[in-house]
Amino acid sequence: MKKAFQKYLSIPMLTSVVLIIVPLAATSFLSVFFVKNEETFLAYSTFEWLSFSAAGIFTQAFALTPPTFVALVLSYFWGWKTLPVLFIINLLAIYLINIIVKMLDHERFVGFLENNPKAQKLMKSIRKEEVKIISLAKLSPVLPFTFTNFVFTLSGAKLRNILLGGFLGMIPRTVMSVWAGTQAKEIRKLLEDPNRNNTQQILVIALIIISAFGLIYVINKAVKRVTD
């Protein structure tokens, strides 16, 4: 009984749940905060925005804010010049997550895969397509940023592939979010419904479809390679 309890309440399992629930609560609180302090943030200088943006590295890494939320807020107050800053924030957050997961997990999950011949064979096959899989996962606006990085690190994916795939996959999402932020007239309406524009809704749906079908194709290809 105790072993079964520990199995289902392992650190990876509990962390996965937290990484999905926490952003929902945190963004609700922060939305109210930004709405109430809109005038203050509108008066920020470039240096103040750069300093404030640095916090996004940690809030994304610890699942407090999704990258889309950060992009919407920064682009609303700071415009298109926030785009390169967002890419840096995303990459540093991915790197920080990688370090934290490796410190907490101690290769236990990878060790489990290595002791399971079928799982090990499948993972080796999938690793040949690491950049593709990571890019497609990051392309989807509905897959949690921190959670996916957590899973990729646990699976033993190479850091350079996680960074490259994460960067490539986040480009369309980030550009779309920045565009939405620059077009918004009120931050309240932006945060309540970031996809009010029909074009934005179509783009979001398109990204989800491309990501889903792309992942299915690549993973099925890897599974077929294992079974052949």
Side-chain angles (χ1 to χ4, degrees):
M1 183 70 179
K2 185 177 180 181
K3 289 183 178 180
F5 183 77
Q6 291 176 336
K7 177 182 178 181
Y8 290 106
L9 290 181
S10 61
I11 289 178
M13 179 64 72
L14 289 173
T15 306
S16 300
V17 174
V18 170
L19 294 182
I20 294 174
I21 295 175
V22 169
L24 298 175
T27 51
S28 297
F29 169 79
L30 289 172
S31 294
V32 175
F33 173 75
F34 284 117
V35 169
K36 288 185 176 180
N37 295 278
E38 181 175 355
E39 295 300 322
T40 300
F41 287 110
L42 284 171
Y44 265 27
S45 65
T46 299
F47 177 76
E48 287 174 316
W49 268 120
L50 288 173
S51 301
F52 184 80
S53 299
I57 299 169
F58 300 95
T59 59
Q60 288 185 187
F62 291 98
L64 295 175
T65 55
T68 300
F69 179 85
V70 175
L72 289 171
V73 171
L74 291 183
S75 59
Y76 175 82
F77 290 110
W78 207 26
W80 279 102
K81 55 188 174 183
T82 194
L83 188 59
V85 175
L86 288 169
F87 287 134
I88 294 172
I89 289 174
N90 291 339
L91 290 174
L92 290 176
I94 291 172
Y95 181 71
L96 183 56
I97 293 167
N98 190 272
I99 293 174
I100 293 170
V101 172
K102 287 182 177 179
M103 288 175 59
L104 293 176
D105 183 66
H106 299 294
E107 306 296 328
R108 281 176 290 185
F109 187 77
V110 176
F112 165 76
L113 293 177
E114 291 176 349
N115 292 326
N116 188 316
K118 289 185 178 179
Q120 185 182 16
K121 193 174 181 181
L122 178 60
M123 289 306 301
K124 283 183 178 179
S125 181
I126 288 177
R127 282 178 188 140
K128 294 179 181 179
E129 309 283 355
E130 265 183 5
V131 175
K132 288 182 182 178
I133 291 175
I134 294 169
S135 298
L136 287 166
K138 289 299 179 185
L139 190 64
S140 174
V142 297
L143 293 177
F145 174 84
T146 306
F147 177 73
T148 51
N149 285 306
F150 175 77
V151 171
F152 289 137
T153 303
L154 276 181
S155 69
K158 295 178 180 178
L159 176 59
R160 67 172 180 270
N161 289 340
I162 297 176
L163 290 170
L164 177 59
F167 174 73
L168 295 175
M170 293 293 290
I171 290 175
R173 289 174 55 182
T174 305
V175 172
M176 186 177 68
S177 297
V178 171
W179 177 65
T182 58
Q183 296 299 305
K185 303 300 181 184
E186 297 178 36
I187 192 169
R188 181 189 297 276
K189 291 182 179 179
L190 174 66
L191 297 179
E192 286 177 353
D193 187 6
N195 302 312
R196 295 173 68 232
N197 185 290
N198 289 335
T199 303
Q200 291 169 237
Q201 293 178 352
I202 293 171
L203 288 173
V204 169
I205 294 171
L207 291 179
I208 293 172
I209 292 173
I210 294 170
S211 173
F213 280 94
L215 285 171
I216 291 170
Y217 173 77
V218 174
I219 292 174
N220 281 341
K221 184 180 176 182
V223 172
K224 186 177 180 181
R225 191 184 297 126
V226 171
T227 55
D228 286 346

